[in-house]
Amino acid sequence: MSEKTIFSKIIRREIPADIVYEDDNCLAFRDIQPQAPTHILIIPKEVVAGVQHATPDHGPLLGHLLLKASQIAAEQGLAAAGYRLVINAGDDGGQTVAHLHVHLLGGRPMQWPPG
Ligand code: AMP
């Protein structure tokens, strides 16, 4: 497993995080710089540097992340009003941490197009 990113350190409990969900395959915790009243990151425990690095073998894991994001959104009371899931990929996508993560944003109306 890569030791490189801050998210690996969160998985290993080397730095603190406000964890809202965990299972054998993923971890979800609150973003340290929230961009909405609810801003949670859902990450795989397996290190995948980004969705752009995913292979067909990662299909079940990617599906798991989205289903858990939906479950967590419902648990956070966001299902009725709606919410947004975002995956930033690479420099132009605004990705700053090289460990695949799904942003769950909710609690306010979202704008489109995103900046
Ligand atoms: P991205 O720009 O898509 O790579 O998103 C990375 C996200 O990780 C940003 O929204 C950061 O605020 C968030 N982040 C960085 N460090 C931490 C941390 N220690 N705990 C929680 N969220 C973090």
Side-chain angles (χ1 to χ4, degrees):
M1 183 169 113
S2 168
E3 309 283 313
K4 286 181 185 166
T5 76
I6 198 147
F7 291 175
S8 291
K9 292 180 179 170
I10 289 174
I11 291 169
R12 294 195 299 262
R13 305 302 204 270
E14 291 172 6
I15 62 170
D18 185 355
I19 293 169
V20 299
Y21 177 82
E22 180 173 22
D23 63 26
D24 288 346
N25 297 308
C26 73
L27 188 69
F29 52 91
R30 295 191 189 279
D31 197 292
I32 203 166
Q33 284 191 291
Q35 302 301 313
T38 299
H39 187 173
I40 291 168
L41 303 173
I42 301 98
I43 70 171
K45 289 187 172 175
E46 175 186 345
V47 176
V48 181
V51 72
Q52 67 274 38
H53 299 289
T55 68
D57 286 347
H58 291 117
L61 180 61
L62 295 176
H64 184 73
L65 294 176
L66 290 182
L67 289 169
K68 288 302 162 185
S70 172
Q71 175 190 314
I72 293 164
E75 290 170 357
Q76 296 290 321
L78 300 173
Y83 54 89
R84 181 169 290 172
L85 301 180
V86 173
I87 299 175
N88 295 324
D91 290 342
D92 278 3
Q95 183 179 5
T96 60
V97 179
H99 184 131
L100 174 62
H101 48 285
V102 179
H103 295 258
L104 165 60
L105 298 146
R108 64 167 173 82
M110 300 293 154
Q111 306 297 314
W112 194 265

